[in-house]
Amino acid sequence: QVQLAESGGGSVQDGGSLTLTCVASGTAHSTYCMVWFRQTPGKEREGVAAVDRDGNISYSESVKGRFTVSGNDADINQKTRTLTLQMDSLRPEDTAMYYCAADRRRFVCDSGAQGSPYNYGYWGQGTQVAVSS
């Protein structure tokens, strides 16, 4: 069983930066892919950035060049993995609840940031990001 916990959300001005962190506990194995999704009221969750099982990174077009996903550090002893999302040049339209998700199935992971949120088996509780103009 994998537990995910996000942190780092907050409120910033247009053009500001935030760093989100997702810690996956219960596994340090790289057979899991990890993805950042975001959701605004009344809309479906959309993929933002992903690291697949082979370490390949993908982004949605709306954040490419502004967001950077990195880390995916594994702590074998603690059985945790950490994924960081650095968000720069934030815009009001980036305001959303940001969720971390994980899965180990190949057909889910290979879709990267374009994958459907309905396929992911593990989710965190989310962290709110608000960008004001």
Side-chain angles (χ1 to χ4, degrees), residues 57-79:
I57 292 173
S58 59
Y59 298 95
S60 67
E61 287 299 319
S62 61
V63 307
K64 198 174 291 185
R66 300 187 298 121
F67 291 11
T68 304
V69 65
S70 64
N72 208 15
D73 297 323
D75 184 328
I76 301 298
N77 291 326
Q78 298 294 325
K79 294 187 179 180

Side-chain angles (χ1 to χ4, degrees), residues 12-36:
V12 296
Q13 296 276 343
D14 190 353
S17 298
L18 282 173
T19 303
L20 304 184
T21 299
C22 173
V23 177
S25 57
T27 181
H29 296 294
S30 61
T31 55
Y32 284 85
C33 59
M34 296 179 72
V35 184
W36 285 100

Side-chain angles (χ1 to χ4, degrees):
Q1 190 72 11
V2 175
Q3 293 83 42
L4 303 175
E6 306 95 334
S7 62
S11 299
V12 296
Q13 296 276 343
D14 190 353
S17 298
L18 282 173
T19 303
L20 304 184
T21 299
C22 173
V23 177
S25 57
T27 181
H29 296 294
S30 61
T31 55
Y32 284 85
C33 59
M34 296 179 72
V35 184
W36 285 100
F37 284 89
R38 66 185 181 186
Q39 186 174 28
T40 54
K43 293 188 177 181
E44 292 214 341
R45 292 183 185 183
E46 63 166 342
V48 174
V51 181
D52 71 12
R53 289 174 40 161
D54 300 315
N56 299 308
I57 292 173
S58 59
Y59 298 95
S60 67
E61 287 299 319
S62 61
V63 307
K64 198 174 291 185
R66 300 187 298 121
F67 291 11
T68 304
V69 65
S70 64
N72 208 15
D73 297 323
D75 184 328
I76 301 298
N77 291 326
Q78 298 294 325
K79 294 187 179 180
T80 62
R81 292 177 65 199
T82 301
L83 193 70
T84 301
L85 183 67
Q86 176 65 39
M87 304 187 296
D88 298 316
S89 302
L90 282 162
R91 304 166 181 167
E93 53 264 39
D94 294 317
T95 296
M97 183 71 80
Y98 283 71
Y99 297 91
C100 179
D103 207 282
R104 64 183 304 175
R105 294 169 291 176
R106 178 67 73 176
F107 83 94
V108 176
C109 295
D110 284 353
S111 297
Q114 285 69 46
S116 169
Y118 298 103
N119 290 336
Y120 284 83
Y122 301 100
W123 289 89
Q125 294 299 307
T127 185
Q128 181 68 45
V129 170
V131 185
S132 58
S133 58

